[in-house]
Amino acid sequence: MMNFHILTLFPEMVLEGLNTSIIGRAAERGYISIEAVNIRDYTLDKHGKVDDYTYGGGAGMLMQAQPVYDAYMAVQSRIKTNSARVIYVTPQGRTFHQELAKELAREEDLIFLCGHYEGIDERVLEEIVTDEISIGDYVLTGGELPAMVMVDAIARLVPGVLHNTDSAVTESFYDGLLEYPQYSRPEIWHDKRVPQVLLSGDHAKVDAWRLEQSVLRTKERRPDLYEAYAEKRCGEIRNKKK
Ligand code: 9D3
């Protein structure tokens, strides 16, 4: 069981997106919980304002410390975890990847903080944030989509979330290779035949073909992954010889 808490100005965006997916089914079945906390609910401003101009000038508005801090404190007071990790999703963070997803999937509670406008007052970040994470080098309009991406990637690693328990283990990126090409019926479509080996019924031959295809694809499309794979295999062969 894992509890996701998302601090955001757009709670319905986050909830609708996640609840309409496999992750939503997992939440219904009780393997995870997803809570979206509206930062605006915690402002003390009578007009509901959560942003203001930046000291020193410059374009744009900044999210103020007070509503962000109070929203965080409300979540922290309700959860068992004493000091849950607080992930600020920001273009300035380190890039999210599968190993980080695996690490975060071991937590009981995770708090995501989504920024908007030009960002958040640094002082509240200093007090509450434990991790700053980006999903890649492109510019989005807010942190909600990145938080949803991360929740999706982490939640599917929580035991019970995926029906097929081994699909999270045997998939690509686990052994560091890309997936091999796959085919379904019919046997001929637009004059294209399914590779003969897949119809042979020889499982050893099928496995060998798939591995070969994975290696070729990886070498072609992701030379960085191929390099790491080749390096790892060299080590295994060296160890066997000893
Ligand atoms: C246009 C404003 N930018 C220049 C000062 C800064 C900026 C602030 C906030 C740029 C984008 C955003 C909104 N993006 C995120 O909050 C975000 C993000 C992203 O844009 N790309 C990849 N990962 C992430 S994680 C959070």
Side-chain angles (χ1 to χ4, degrees), residues 61-114:
M61 308 288 275
L62 208 61
M63 278 169 78
Q64 292 167 285
Q66 177 272 318
V68 171
Y69 186 71
D70 289 356
Y72 159 76
M73 287 299 281
V75 168
Q76 187 55 253
S77 72
R78 281 190 264 112
I79 65 182
K80 274 193 295 179
T81 316
N82 282 328
S83 45
R85 284 171 86 162
V86 177
I87 298 162
Y88 177 37
V89 284
T90 166
Q92 294 163 96
R94 65 178 171 135
T95 310
F96 190 56
H97 53 80
Q98 190 65 23
E99 285 305 310
L100 190 47
K102 281 197 223 170
E103 180 189 320
L104 293 170
R106 295 197 293 264
E107 300 285 326
E108 173 118 339
D109 290 279
L110 280 180
I111 303 174
F112 289 86
L113 173 57
C114 304

Side-chain angles (χ1 to χ4, degrees), residues 59 88-96 113-120 132-147 150:
Y88 177 37
V89 284
T90 166
Q92 294 163 96
R94 65 178 171 135
T95 310
F96 190 56
L113 173 57
C114 304
H116 249 274
Y117 312 109
E118 289 303 304
I120 302 177
E132 299 202 2
I133 306 178
S134 159
I135 60 164
D137 293 337
Y138 36 81
V139 183
L140 302 169
T141 56
E144 282 73 18
L145 285 167
M150 292 183 58

Side-chain angles (χ1 to χ4, degrees), residues 180-234:
Y180 45 80
Q182 299 188 90
Y183 304 85
S184 184
R185 288 200 286 185
E187 214 176 294
I188 304 172
W189 181 82
H190 281 203
D191 287 338
K192 295 170 194 282
R193 278 197 156 278
V194 172
Q196 209 55 45
V197 60
L198 299 179
L199 311 172
S200 70
D202 184 336
H203 293 299
K205 258 172 108 178
V206 168
D207 286 350
W209 181 84
R210 285 177 169 168
L211 178 61
E212 178 192 53
Q213 290 294 313
S214 281
V215 170
L216 285 171
R217 278 199 166 182
T218 308
K219 203 170 174 180
E220 185 109 345
R221 300 178 189 191
R222 291 292 303 274
D224 57 325
L225 292 182
Y226 179 75
E227 204 58 46
Y229 169 77
E231 194 59 41
K232 204 180 84 192
R233 282 216 37 224
C234 268

